[in-house]
Each structure stands twice: as C-alpha cells, then as structure tokens.
Amino acid sequence: MYDVQNRLRRFSPMSALSGLAVAAVCLVGGCNSNESGDHHVALSDFGTGQDTGVSFARRDAEPPKARKVTIAKPQPKEKAAPKTPARSRTTPAPLRPVAKVTPKPVRSKPKQPAEEKKVAVQTAKPAPKEAPPQPTKPASDTQVALADKPESTPDKEKKKAGGRPKLAEGTGGFAGTIKYDGTPPAPKDIYALGQAPKDPAVCGAIAIPNQSLIVNQKNNGVKNVFVYLRKKPKGYKGKGPKDSIVFDQKFCVFFPRNLIVHTNQTVLVKNEDPIVHNTHTYPASNPGFNSAIGASDRKGVPLTYRRAERYPVKVVCDLHSWMMAHHLVLDHPFCASTDENGEFAIAGLPPGKYSFIVWQETPGLLERKLSVTVKAGAYTEKALSYSPDKFAEFKGPRPKVLTVSTGR
Amino acid sequence: MKFRNILLSAGLLCAALTGCGEFKSEFSLNEKTTNLMPEAEDVVKEQLHEYFGTPEDLVGWLKFPIDYGAEETVTLRVKSFEESASGKIVLDVAADEQADYQGGSIKVSEEEIYQISSHDPSSGTVFVKPGIEAKLKTGDEVTIVKRHGGWKLKRGRNLYMKHCVHCHGVSGDGEGPTAQYLSPLPRDYRKGVFKFTSTISTEKAARRDLAQTLYEGIQGTSMPSFKLKLIGDDMEAMVGYVRFLATRGEFELRLDGEFGVDYSKDVVTRRIKDEDEKITRQEIIEEFRSMIESDLPDLVDSTATILAEDWERAESPDVMVVPKKPRPEPTPESIARGRALYLSKDTKCADCHGVTGYGDGKQTEEYAQMPGTTPPITYAKPGLYDDWGHPIKPRNLHSGMYRGGRRPIDIFRRISAGIKGTPMPGFGTSLNDDGKIWDLVNYVMSVPYENNSSEIKHAEKEVAEHTVK
C-alpha cells in the first residue's frame, strides 16, 4: 500500500500525513489503489491480475521466432474490472503493425584500417609561445613534455611549405584563422610555480598554465579552437587511421589540450608523472571512461570511442581538479584544431557546400553552422574574428544539475 | 499548499465513500525534456509514447536486449464440447504437464480468441466468456495461449509498482514519495548508469549485477534485499523492468541532448537575441520541423542502436572483471602490502578515503566541477559528487559495510573497475597485476578490525614509517 507521488519536491509533511491517511483508508476499505498528490498516481491495480497491456513497437522487424509476439485478442472486460485504462481492453487494440524496417546490425565491427590517403588535420605546430615558463626542477624534461610531439612522418611529407596539407586530386579544402577582436588577454597561470595545491613535488615543478583561452599576444590568433564537420559528407567512405595516438600527462597537465580522435582509433593514455592520475571522460554517445593511469605509465592505457560525438568530450582528472582537456571524436577526418596563430586547414574535401561547427572550450559554440563552399583544387579561406564577449559568452549547452543535499 | 491539502482530503473522502477511484500512473518527463521548446518537447513525448508506452500500456521494443516474455502456447485436442453450454470445453490435457491456463486464452482460429475465465486443471475443463460461436467437435485442435507476449515485462511492472515505486518513482527517476526521507537517495535509473557492477569500467551493468543488487540489497542504505520476495521468474522479470526503465530514461535523455543543443528554451531565446544569426522564433521552429522530417527516423534508430549495443555488450564474458589470480590468504604481509599500495603514489586511495580510511581524504575538501559544463561550473560546496549531482562521501572503510557486496570478489571488482557514476576510478588499468588488487582487498577488509589486531598494527606502523620519509 504505497502512496505514490512523483512531485516530491513540493511534498510537505502535512500532505505526507494526509497521504498516509488515504493509504490507511484504502487499507481499511480493502481496496487496492490509493490516492495522493497532484500529478502522478500509481495504480496499485497492478498485480491484481487485471490485465493492462504490453504491445510491441512498430519498428521491430519480424521478431525472432523465440519471441513470438502475437498479441492475443483483448480479454473481454468483465463488469467488475473498471480500472483498466482507456487504451486497453474493450475494443481490440489493433496489433501494432510490424514495419518492414530491418534492424541495423547491432554490432559495428571496428573498421579495418586499410591504409588510406591520410589527411593531415592539424597544421604544423611549432612550440607554443604561451608554453609555461621553464621549470626550475627537472628542466630538460619539461621542455620535452610540453613541446608538441613531433608530427608523424606521413603527415610531414605531405605538408607543403606553407604548412598546409597538399590537396589530393579533385578535392578542395577549408582554411583560415580565428582571431580575438580586442586586446589579447595576457596569459595567466592557474597556479604559480610550486603553488599547486596537491602533490606540489610533482605538480609544482611548473606553473600550471590557464589554457581555457589562449590568445597570441602578437597576432591575436586563438589557439585550440575546433573547426569540424558535424557529420561526414555524404558518400565519404574513408577509414580511420590504423595508428594509435597518445594522450599524455606531465606535471599534472594533460597533453595535448585538444585531441582529435577518429572512431575506433586507439588512444593510449599515458602518464609521465611519478604519481597516479585518473582520466575521466564525459562523452555523450559513448560509455564513460574513468581509469587510474599508473605512475610513470609509458605503455599507456588504451581508450577507444566507438561512436562519433557531436561536441568535444570533456576529460578531467578527479585527483587534480584543474586538469582538463577535450577529445573531439569524429568518424571522418574533416576537422582541425587551431594552432598558436589561430590557423587551421582542413584538406581533402570533395567539392560542395558544407556547414562547419566552430567550438572553443570557454564559450562552447562560436559558430553553429558556418557555411563554406569548397571548390576543387583550392582552399576556401575564411578569416574569422570574434569580439571578447563572444569568447566570454556562453552559447553551448549547459546541463542543469540539480544539487540535492542528502543531509549528511 | 493549503489547496493541495484540501484536494487530498477530498481524495480521502472520495476514497472513503466510493472505494478508490480511477487513478492513472504516468511516466514523468525528464527535466531536460521540459526545458526544450514546446515543439521539440512534443516530439520527444511522441517518441517515448510510441516506443515505450505508458505504465499501463507498455510497449516493448524488440530491438533492446530485454526479455519481454515470449508468447507461450500449447495445442490441445477437444475432448468434448457442449453446444448448449458453449462456454464450457473439456480438453485433453494429458499432453501438457503444466496445465495452468489461468489468465490465458483459447485460440480457435487466428480471429477467434477467447479469454479463459476459469478452468479446472484436473479434468481439463475450461470455461470461456463469452461463449464460443464456432462449432467445435471432439478431436478438433485448439491452441491455448498460456502466456501472452510481453508477460514478463508486465509482471516486472506489477512487481515494481508493488515493491519499488515508492522509492524509485514510476519512471525510475528515484523520486518516489519516500525518497525525500532517504540518504543516500534512491537510484535514478534514467542515466542508464549503475554503480555496483561486475563489468569493466566502460561498460554498463549486466543482468547478474542488477539481480545481485536485488538479491542482497545495498548494505548501509535503505535499499532492501528482495531475496525472499522475488523468486525465479519474478527476479528476471524485475531485472527486465529495471532495464526497461533505464533504457527508456536514457533514450529520452539522448533525444534531449540531441535537441537541446539547438532547441532548448534557453538556446532558442539566445539565438533570437543573437544579432549575427538573425533568426526569428518562427524560423527556428521551421528549421526544427524540417530537421525532424529528414532526420528523425535515423536519429531514433541510431539512438536505440546505441542503447541496444551497450546493454548487449554488458552481458559479454569479455567485459566481465575476472581476477587472473586467486585471492591470497589475508596474511599480515599481504595486508601490509595492501596498506602500502593504499598510501602509495600508484593509487592515491588515501586522497579520497583518508590515510586512516575514515573517508576524510584531502579530496573531500576540494571543490569539484559539474560534469559536462562549459565553461566548468564548480559545485557550491566542497566534496565529491556523483554523476547525478548528489554529494557523496568516499566510503569510511572502518564501517565494514560494502554497498556493492561484501565478498572479496565484489571488493576486487570495485577496485578494479571503479564505481561507475562516481569519481572513484578503476585501478585495473594502473595496477595491472591482480595480485596487487588482492592485496588491497585484503587490506580494505582488514580495516574494520584494525584496532584489535596488534599484528596488523605493527605491520601498518612499519609501512607508515617506510612511506613517510
């Protein structure tokens, strides 16, 4: 005998009492259902054998034999069964027609990465100017850790002098810059040298840079902006790269801040620090990942995303709350993250009209649908620039999180 | 408030006078759905109704790996049939060992199906209402539908409404009326995330995990054990229904996520104000409609495929956490090794659980960020939070209560795979030697007895001296 009420936040002790009273009356009356509150009431009619229905979704293709789901004609209602809800049993609810949609195969095999024309997605990245100051402690190491990883050779070979990937026969590209339209904010540190609040012996070896918005002091270029196509172009059949990529952490900073990942590509999460970190991802379409990455783990823990994500996935370390990075997971290579000059170049696009998303971690969306027409044999150029309030303003989704105090 | 109470008293009166009236239970909508612009909210509602139905008229979507309960039939011959009393048929039940047809129906042909109103298993006599029109002869074959398709889901629903709804709520949102008096709060299934599982850290809960939770209850919380109430089919039916609710909830959340980006109330207001975009509300609605027209079937299908795949994978033996080594005896040495690991830089258990294991590590004083917020929003109060935004505490290891089960293997799994939906990470990846995890298990299980065991204390002191240098 339960008093069922969904709107619990508006529930008061008074009404709880009346609810109980109702329940009590029901008990006395020996009846099976009870009343409460304003909106939703569960019918305890359930379980009395009075059938309320189950039907099957139309979309289901012919169900497998074992699950024969012919629905018997509804039982004629008897006079003593008034509580059956509307959609049930006086007139036969027509069997939901079974549509001829064959369900898609459930398991998508990891793509066999036949080595395909590799499209370099990131423009050349010289060591960032806003790289954190050199640490005093393990000097040489820092340099190595925070400098960008060398490009893999195939990418390098395909680079033209200008740093942009060469366009393959019959394809075009989209390139440009993203600029901050105002006085560039000076680079800031989250924690000054030696001031990291946890594990200062390791995390304090450098000043922890604030990377939420990195603006080039000389040319106003904005670093770490993702430019990408939300869906792969129709007819695109490329396969993901075979090589795994590395996602690293050193001095309690993730590296790189922005990582582009292809679906089913293995990301090796490594750790150069002599302490454990945990890498915790918050994807929307993939299962979350929250694993400890052992101290000085140079082999790496594999992380893969099976499905493309619409927006970059936030990655954090719960043990060092300032650590943050983003993974952009796509099932195509038409994406880039801007370099320290705010430049990007996306190559290999079949000619046509596209709409790109431009995303920076602080405001979220900068462009929801940036239309770009691509012609064969050339890069379509766009110089994008946004005012400071665009970078401050929030435009993307912000989930509402309800904080319920559980008292203790 | 007053008004409500008057209503309630009226309900009370009505209940007293007329017995209980007709009340309908409903699946409530997620807050994220009601935050969408009305046109988008309607689409989500329609889809939910189409593929999941209402609590009273459930819809089973066969795409999902949920056991809805297949139709069960048996074909029998008619022994005798009196035309004068056409509601009575005597069947030859010798062929059927479990001749229980209560609640079933009798199928004379595809079109003619009659509800069995009562029957006598010993003689094989069956009464139907209304009477059978067809002329049956002795020796004719009839099909008895013993259970209608979907019976398991229905049974799960009935049991859920009886045992669980007052805590977990009709839609599994964890907001039943009792919930407000409970700490921790009952689980909200709608994220599709369950904390205590036997699967690796990236996978969902397997059926056996939900069954174990129902069987054992969750120690140290109000979640009771249903060992004595849910037996056989009932347990399976219950697990199926929890999965059904979780799938339904997650389906809704995913549609909300998909639409919310461009069409939540807030975003729409902002888009209209945005000078660069130059768009009116009407245009946004049209944009939404045309998107729905072209994309909805695909979107619904791929969303369901994702859920079906994820739930299916959870059952695979490949994703189950199985120790590669047997548990070593909890010798003082093993416990001491566990203690050392617990304090070490390789695990940092102590950051959360505290050096002494009272659940008061440094992390409980730091400010955490809400997941998925850009830019990050920090919770107003320090401490740890789970994915539902509820404040949680690292377990006090001295209590000796383990929510996910107290067998050593349960604790092994908690440490190896982490606790899903919480900041506690899986350590199977960093301690790639199962022996180390077992040492941790031995240590954790020794903590409640620490004070009476001088041997352990000694070992502990040694380790402490060793690590603090």
Side-chain angles (χ1 to χ4, degrees):
Chain A
M1 198 50 52
Y2 303 124
D3 162 31
V4 174
Q5 175 173 351
N6 256 359
R7 300 272 132 214
L8 91 107
R9 261 159 290 145
R10 276 190 271 137
F11 199 78
S12 72
M14 251 318 279
S15 45
L17 280 180
S18 352
L20 281 176
V22 173
V25 170
C26 280
L27 265 177
V28 172
C31 80
N32 227 332
S33 65
N34 51 42
E35 205 277 348
S36 72
D38 42 7
H39 281 226
H40 308 290
V41 179
L43 198 59
S44 314
D45 180 22
F46 300 122
T48 57
Q50 281 307 324
D51 259 344
T52 51
V54 173
S55 43
F56 289 89
R58 256 203 267 136
R59 260 159 178 272
D60 291 326
E62 305 120 46
K65 281 237 172 58
R67 299 179 168 184
K68 218 158 98 196
V69 285
T70 340
I71 291 179
K73 252 193 204 161
Q75 22 188 302
K77 250 204 201 173
E78 294 197 41
K79 53 182 178 332
K83 284 175 210 147
T84 11
R87 225 165 116 202
S88 57
R89 303 308 156 181
T90 4
T91 41
L95 174 56
R96 277 161 189 266
V98 171
K100 278 138 235 133
V101 197
T102 329
K104 285 180 188 159
V106 169
R107 207 166 278 252
S108 55
K109 281 253 166 62
K111 287 173 188 156
Q112 269 316 313
E115 195 46 64
E116 80 307 335
K117 54 168 173 86
K118 193 153 193 171
V119 188
V121 287
Q122 248 148 330
T123 45
K125 289 194 285 184
K129 291 186 184 73
E130 62 291 335
Q134 270 198 272
T136 38
K137 251 189 177 170
S140 56
D141 272 16
T142 325
Q143 194 74 4
V144 176
L146 289 170
D148 287 54
K149 289 274 182 290
E151 306 270 341
S152 61
T153 18
D155 283 358
K156 233 182 205 164
E157 281 162 11
K158 290 194 179 169
K159 288 269 160 72
K160 270 206 298 197
R164 278 182 191 165
K166 254 184 220 153
L167 294 172
E169 234 354 80
T171 67
F174 173 42
T177 51
I178 300 200
K179 298 240 150 121
Y180 186 87
D181 187 9
T183 320
K188 271 188 288 202
D189 291 336
I190 301 179
Y191 298 114
L193 193 71
Q195 295 300 302
K198 271 187 83 181
D199 301 307
V202 178
C203 308
I206 58 164
I208 308 281
N210 183 342
Q211 296 178 287
S212 59
L213 177 63
I214 303 174
V215 184
N216 191 312
Q217 300 294 302
K218 286 193 196 121
N219 59 19
N220 282 24
V222 183
K223 197 188 169 187
N224 287 344
V225 182
F226 282 122
V227 182
Y228 61 100
L229 280 184
R230 196 189 135 204
K231 287 185 177 158
K232 60 180 163 199
K234 287 214 166 68
Y236 171 76
K237 293 222 175 56
K239 303 242 170 82
K242 206 185 332 196
D243 310 334
S244 55
I245 46 175
V246 173
F247 182 60
D248 212 339
Q249 33 211 333
K250 174 90 180 163
F251 300 125
C252 310
V253 176
F254 281 121
F255 186 84
R257 178 81 168 185
N258 270 11
L259 184 68
I260 295 175
V261 186
H262 200 286
T263 45
N264 291 318
Q265 182 177 27
T266 305
V267 180
L268 288 175
V269 186
K270 296 188 178 176
N271 181 2
E272 244 188 282
D273 289 333
I275 50 170
V276 68
H277 286 293
N278 78 313
T279 298
H280 194 165
T281 68
Y282 290 96
S285 305
N286 288 283
F289 174 92
N290 179 9
S291 288
I293 313 298
S296 313
D297 182 349
R298 301 315 297 152
K299 232 173 74 202
V301 173
L303 157 66
T304 49
Y305 296 91
R306 280 186 203 83
R307 313 179 186 107
E309 292 278 341
R310 187 162 174 176
Y311 291 104
V313 176
K314 187 163 142 177
V315 184
V316 300
C317 166
D318 295 297
L319 295 170
H320 304 98
S321 52
W322 63 85
M323 291 177 70
M324 210 214 300
H326 287 93
H327 291 174
L328 176 60
V329 188
L330 297 171
D331 51 2
H332 61 75
F334 307 113
C335 52
S337 173
T338 55
D339 65 9
E340 73 292 340
N341 295 317
E343 287 174 10
F344 65 92
I346 298 167
L349 283 160
K353 264 190 140 177
Y354 296 96
S355 102
F356 280 88
I357 290 176
V358 180
W359 190 98
Q360 204 274 341
E361 62 178 74
T362 299
L365 284 173
L366 285 169
E367 296 282 350
R368 188 179 300 278
K369 283 172 187 161
L370 177 69
S371 338
V372 174
T373 309
V374 171
K375 297 196 185 79
Y379 276 99
T380 303
E381 300 272 350
K382 270 211 168 139
L384 301 163
S385 112
Y386 301 96
S387 58
D389 63 315
K390 282 276 181 192
F391 281 105
E393 188 195 349
F394 171 78
K395 290 176 85 185
R398 169 174 298 189
K400 285 222 167 76
V401 184
L402 175 74
T403 310
V404 184
S405 166
T406 53
R408 270 166 272 157
Chain B
M1 199 53 73
K2 277 220 178 97
F3 183 59
R4 268 170 47 77
N5 284 333
I6 291 169
L7 271 185
L8 277 168
S9 331
L12 193 141
L13 252 182
C14 138
L17 291 177
T18 61
C20 296
E22 290 200 26
F23 303 111
K24 254 186 110 186
S25 73
E26 271 172 30
F27 287 134
S28 58
L29 289 177
N30 199 313
E31 215 172 87
K32 291 206 175 132
T33 310
T34 50
N35 281 339
L36 296 175
M37 68 177 196
E39 291 75 12
E41 182 183 330
D42 287 346
V43 171
V44 175
K45 267 197 230 164
E46 278 160 24
Q47 296 304 310
L48 284 172
H49 193 263
E50 168 139 15
Y51 295 116
F52 298 91
T54 66
E56 281 144 15
D57 228 347
L58 299 166
V59 174
W61 194 348
L62 291 175
K63 189 163 192 152
F64 300 126
I66 297 173
D67 182 2
Y68 296 112
E71 184 182 71
E72 286 176 19
T73 60
V74 58
T75 304
L76 298 174
R77 286 190 188 282
V78 176
K79 257 191 188 164
S80 76
F81 176 71
E82 296 165 38
E83 246 174 89
S84 53
S86 54
K88 177 181 167 193
I89 312 165
V90 181
L91 298 165
D92 181 4
V93 289
D96 190 4
E97 276 170 13
Q98 289 178 319
D100 179 4
Y101 308 139
Q102 206 65 53
S105 50
I106 183 162
K107 217 187 214 173
V108 178
S109 67
E110 274 313 314
E111 288 79 43
E112 291 172 273
I113 300 166
Y114 300 89
Q115 184 63 32
I116 294 175
S117 59
S118 65
H119 93 120
D120 171 16
S122 53
S123 65
T125 312
V126 164
F127 295 94
V128 297
K129 256 184 194 173
I132 292 182
E133 280 160 30
K135 296 217 183 313
L136 290 175
K137 294 189 302 295
T138 304
D140 275 359
E141 276 193 347
V142 291
T143 304
I144 304 274
V145 181
K146 291 164 85 172
R147 280 167 166 173
H148 298 280
W151 64 271
K152 239 183 200 177
L153 186 67
K154 211 156 63 181
R155 185 177 305 171
R157 190 260 332 266
N158 294 350
L159 290 164
Y160 184 86
M161 292 299 180
K162 211 162 140 198
H163 297 307
C164 325
V165 80
H166 67 111
C167 286
H168 289 281
V170 175
S171 57
D173 54 6
E175 294 190 15
T178 315
Q180 62 173 333
Y181 306 110
L182 303 179
S183 171
L185 291 170
R187 188 77 67 251
D188 172 359
Y189 307 144
R190 299 173 305 173
K191 275 183 186 294
V193 176
F194 293 94
K195 288 189 179 176
F196 309 113
T197 70
S198 59
T199 52
I200 58 173
S201 76
T202 49
E203 301 297 340
K204 287 189 181 297
R207 285 195 188 90
R208 57 176 180 272
D209 300 329
L210 299 176
Q212 187 184 330
T213 298
L214 292 178
Y215 198 80
E216 302 287 352
I218 300 182
Q219 224 197 355
T221 78
S222 55
M223 169 75 197
S225 154
F226 289 90
K227 178 157 41 184
L228 304 174
K229 291 231 172 69
L230 302 174
I231 295 160
D233 276 354
D234 283 358
M235 182 59 94
E236 281 170 33
M238 193 71 257
V239 169
Y241 195 67
V242 170
R243 277 192 152 198
F244 172 84
L245 289 177
T247 311
R248 182 189 171 282
E250 213 186 334
F251 181 82
E252 180 182 7
L253 263 180
R254 281 175 186 271
L255 287 190
D256 294 345
E258 199 64 40
F259 297 158
V261 174
D262 293 337
Y263 306 107
S264 82
K265 281 181 187 143
D266 287 0
V267 172
V268 168
T269 317
R270 229 180 267 128
R271 285 179 71 184
I272 295 169
K273 276 200 203 129
D274 187 343
E275 282 145 28
D276 298 343
E277 206 175 346
K278 293 191 193 72
I279 197 164
T280 65
R281 183 174 294 273
Q282 203 48 44
E283 279 162 354
I284 293 180
I285 293 173
E286 266 152 37
E287 178 191 281
F288 176 73
R289 295 237 160 92
S290 73
M291 187 274 284
I292 287 297
E293 221 162 83
S294 61
D295 293 356
L296 188 67
D298 258 6
L299 177 65
V300 165
D301 209 65
S302 61
T303 306
T305 306
I306 289 178
L307 295 175
E309 281 177 14
D310 283 358
W311 283 107
E312 188 70 56
R313 248 195 348 267
E315 301 300 324
S316 152
D318 302 346
V319 303
M320 186 169 168
V321 177
V322 185
K324 290 185 199 77
K325 291 181 184 167
R327 179 188 180 204
E329 283 298 309
T331 55
E333 292 74 37
S334 166
I335 291 171
R337 282 196 303 271
R339 166 83 183 157
L341 271 172
Y342 177 90
L343 293 170
S344 77
K345 289 172 175 165
D346 279 326
T347 66
K348 288 187 161 282
C349 307
D351 270 20
C352 292
H353 291 279
V355 178
T356 45
Y358 282 100
D360 55 356
K362 248 198 244 162
Q363 203 69 33
T364 58
E365 284 152 30
E366 280 181 29
Y367 286 85
Q369 287 173 1
M370 288 184 202
T373 49
T374 312
I377 304 174
T378 306
Y379 284 107
K381 286 188 185 155
L384 287 94
Y385 290 80
D386 63 16
D387 284 2
W388 291 264
H390 303 153
I392 52 170
K393 280 194 172 165
R395 197 79 69 245
N396 171 357
L397 299 176
H398 291 266
S399 73
M401 284 196 275
Y402 306 108
R403 294 191 186 172
R406 58 203 165 100
R407 297 173 303 171
I409 179 69
D410 293 325
I411 297 164
F412 183 96
R413 286 180 171 143
R414 293 304 86 73
I415 298 173
S416 174
I419 299 180
K420 287 160 203 178
T422 81
M424 165 135 166
F427 291 89
T429 44
S430 59
L431 304 174
N432 32 29
D433 172 7
D434 286 352
K436 289 188 183 167
I437 297 183
W438 278 126
D439 287 340
L440 276 167
V441 172
N442 285 340
Y443 168 64
V444 165
M445 296 187 82
S446 78
V447 174
Y449 309 102
E450 246 171 19
N451 294 340
N452 342 342
S453 160
S454 55
E455 222 177 339
I456 294 166
K457 265 220 153 153
H458 179 69
E460 183 193 317
K461 232 177 93 196
E462 234 177 21
V463 172
E465 276 160 14
H466 182 71
T467 36
V468 183
K469 55 160 181 177

